[in-house]
Amino acid sequence: MASRAETSPPHGVRLARKHHLLVRVSHWLNVLLLAGLIVSGISIYWASPIYRHSPDPQTGNTDYFADAGLWLCAHVPLMHGYVSPPDWIYNHFSLGPYMLAAAMRLHWCCAYLFMLNGVMYLAGLWLGGEWRSLLPRASDGRGALIMAKYYLSAPFALLSRRRRVPPQFNSKYNPLQRMAYFSIPIAGWLSVVTGWAIHKPMQLSWLAALLGGFDRARVWHFWLMCLFITFVVPHVILVFADGWDTVRSMITGWSKRSETRGQSHEP
Amino acid sequence: MSPDENDAQSKPAKVSPARSESRGVFPERRPEIIEVTPQDVRRWTRRDFLTFGAGAVVALGVAASQLPPSTLQRLGLKFWPRNQWLLNKAQRVDDDVAELLYSSNRLVPTHTKSQITPLRNNYNGATPDPGYIPGWRLTLDGLSSGLTAALDIRNLLNRFQIHDQITRLVCVEGWSAIAWWSGLRFENLLQAYPPDSQAKWAFIESSVNLDPNGNTDPYYVSLDLLTARHPQTLLATHYNGQPLTVEHGAPLRLIAPMKFGLKNIKAITRITYVKDEPKDYWAERGYSRYDGI
């Protein structure tokens, strides 16, 4: 490396190492695995939905998803001809109803790979020393508020064409990022724990009991999925808002922002 | 490290004014800075994008080949190669894990009468006509004696000790119910009518089961004898202190709370002890064969 630096022309490119190879691989595998887990998980949820209302006097429906399908088919153009409006959401956003066996196989397959992937991610964090950048700090509460304010006011700034300087933090991630990247792996771990509690409620009955019983463990598992979805939406929006360097660094592992220690302002 | 790198690190003034931050107990380290030629950057970028892109294509291809046929059809991938090896493997791994977790010494939690919840009749399709009950017999086959035995319900109730048990029945669909069952232990039946010494499985059948249209659709499950010998595996005759109704599998049903509800076969008419794993109604329809929970 030293020899390359010596022989390189005066206008070389400075790169900051950002993500270990194992972190990058596990990040992209997670995209696929989480998608598989969410899709098959919703299909499993539909075999016995938790959140239901009293039967609708007109349609007899008890299910919010079916209501949404009915509404879509009634109000959105080009969908009026759909044969079974209550099943619209089911048939378009997942594996569909009456496919429980297939959904469960897919869920177990993704779940085992997700657990292995989690181990790979932790190994990458350790080998690359990146775990230090994820640890919460005492000043993070205030910093996260500053960042949240900056992000939330972004649409207004865009409309009024105001140029803004993002808040600067002398660390790899800003406090809001650190909070998100620290808590999401914990949520992943909790999903695994709640998943085992509802997968083996008899052999691991102590685990189900710890989570408030079989039924409550199902609810926890469901809301953890919702948490992943609410993380992914701003994560993807902000990564594109932040720019190409951030996306590229999750593939190549380095950032051209060596002056700011590879810091990005977004996701 | 090249002199340039040290130089970069000794110039904190270049970092734009940053807010004061606490550093924490394990302060983060400065990232490694390398200086390379633009050609190298382009070469590395191209290499990494091609590698990750190829990986993504392979992963998506494998994932798509594992999707259920009807989903592929819905997505318009009619001629996409179908290969379920990964899902089948995952199911086998999961069954092996379930078998490893099982212990004949571990009892499932029991409940009190105040915790009992309503139990729904989840007969797949139609509930059979109760006409079969008066002439009902339990036939046992695959016994060490080489004979078959036919027992009526009075015979079973008089010969065996009846045990009460309030346990949770968990359906594969995700709902569950705490119910009060009474019946004889499967283990006691196995002692009274020992199976063939080679036998490892019980093949349990109900000839009275109906399909959703009301046509005869015999139901059958496989049960490993290890589970059959568990002290909480009952051949239940009573529900809520009353003889079983048709909805709950009169006059004799299986209660194995360490298995999903679908293994808890209703209205048993025949038990055959066999050496090799027998077929299972729902396993043939894509569900687990072991169904241990």
Side-chain angles (χ1 to χ4, degrees), chain B residues 34 68 179 240:
Chain B
I34 48 174
N240 272 344

Side-chain angles (χ1 to χ4, degrees), chain B residues 169-180:
Chain B
L169 189 69
V170 180
C171 180
V172 69
E173 293 170 5
W175 55 269
S176 67
I178 294 172
W180 170 24

Side-chain angles (χ1 to χ4, degrees), chain A residues 19-31:
Chain A
H19 304 297
H20 191 273
L21 176 67
L22 291 182
V23 170
R24 285 177 272 147
V25 172
S26 65
H27 173 270
W28 293 112
L29 268 180
N30 231 12
V31 175

Side-chain angles (χ1 to χ4, degrees), chain A residues 136-159:
Chain A
R137 304 179 189 184
S139 59
D140 278 359
R142 206 174 56 89
L145 278 178
I146 292 167
M147 283 316 295
K149 206 177 117 196
Y150 172 73
Y151 290 145
L152 290 174
S153 58
F156 306 106
L158 259 173
L159 284 175

Side-chain angles (χ1 to χ4, degrees), chain A residues 130-145:
Chain A
E130 292 167 55
W131 58 277
R132 291 167 178 270
S133 306
L134 297 178
L135 296 180
R137 304 179 189 184
S139 59
D140 278 359
R142 206 174 56 89
L145 278 178

Side-chain angles (χ1 to χ4, degrees), chain A:
Chain A
M1 187 158 299
S3 63
R4 187 191 286 136
E6 278 156 23
T7 54
S8 64
H11 298 295
V13 185
R14 274 163 188 262
L15 304 176
R17 289 222 184 272
K18 211 173 164 194
H19 304 297
H20 191 273
L21 176 67
L22 291 182
V23 170
R24 285 177 272 147
V25 172
S26 65
H27 173 270
W28 293 112
L29 268 180
N30 231 12
V31 175
L32 197 64
L33 292 176
L34 264 186
L37 283 167
I38 290 172
V39 163
S40 57
I42 290 174
S43 191
I44 293 168
Y45 167 87
W46 280 337
S48 177
I50 303 163
Y51 298 104
R52 283 192 263 200
H53 54 74
S54 49
D56 185 283
Q58 280 181 350
T59 58
N61 260 329
T62 60
D63 184 347
Y64 291 103
F65 284 103
D67 288 343
L70 285 169
W71 188 92
L72 272 170
C73 292
H75 293 87
V76 179
L78 300 176
M79 286 185 199
H80 301 321
Y82 194 72
V83 202
S84 176
D87 284 348
W88 196 93
I89 297 265
Y90 292 77
N91 285 342
H92 286 80
F93 284 88
S94 184
L95 296 164
Y98 307 113
M99 293 178 71
L100 180 60
M104 284 169 83
R105 278 167 177 247
L106 196 57
H107 207 72
W108 311 155
C109 182
C110 292
Y112 282 107
L113 292 175
F114 182 72
M115 287 186 278
L116 291 176
N117 201 33
V119 174
M120 178 154 76
Y121 173 70
L122 291 178
L125 281 187
W126 182 254
L127 292 173
E130 292 167 55
W131 58 277
R132 291 167 178 270
S133 306
L134 297 178
L135 296 180
R137 304 179 189 184
S139 59
D140 278 359
R142 206 174 56 89
L145 278 178
I146 292 167
M147 283 316 295
K149 206 177 117 196
Y150 172 73
Y151 290 145
L152 290 174
S153 58
F156 306 106
L158 259 173
L159 284 175
S160 60
R161 295 168 187 241
R162 214 156 15 90
R163 294 290 297 172
R164 300 191 307 163
V165 181
Q168 295 294 310
F169 294 93
N170 198 4
S171 51
K172 182 171 170 183
Y173 300 119
N174 73 50
L176 196 61
Q177 285 178 303
R178 205 154 41 226
M179 236 177 218
Y181 301 157
F182 182 74
S183 47
I184 279 295
I186 293 176
W189 179 80
L190 280 174
S191 300
V192 170
V193 170
T194 54
W196 277 112
I198 52 184
H199 191 38
K200 300 284 169 255
M202 294 303 170
Q203 305 305 337
L204 305 175
S205 57
W206 56 273
L207 193 59
L210 204 68
L211 296 160
F214 173 73
D215 293 324
R216 225 164 265 169
R218 270 191 89 205
V219 175
W220 284 117
H221 199 65
F222 178 84
W223 281 103
L224 282 162
M225 174 201 70
C226 298
L227 181 72
F228 286 120
I229 295 173
T230 48
F231 166 76
V232 163
V233 173
H235 181 63
V236 172
I237 292 174
L238 289 174
V239 90
F240 282 108
D242 188 45
W244 183 230
D245 189 81
T246 312
V247 186
R248 185 179 49 201
S249 72
M250 206 25 118
I251 293 171
T252 62
W254 43 259
S255 166
K256 279 189 178 172
R257 293 172 180 162
S258 61
E259 302 302 307
T260 52
R261 314 177 66 196
Q263 185 199 333
S264 61
H265 309 297
E266 328 295 327

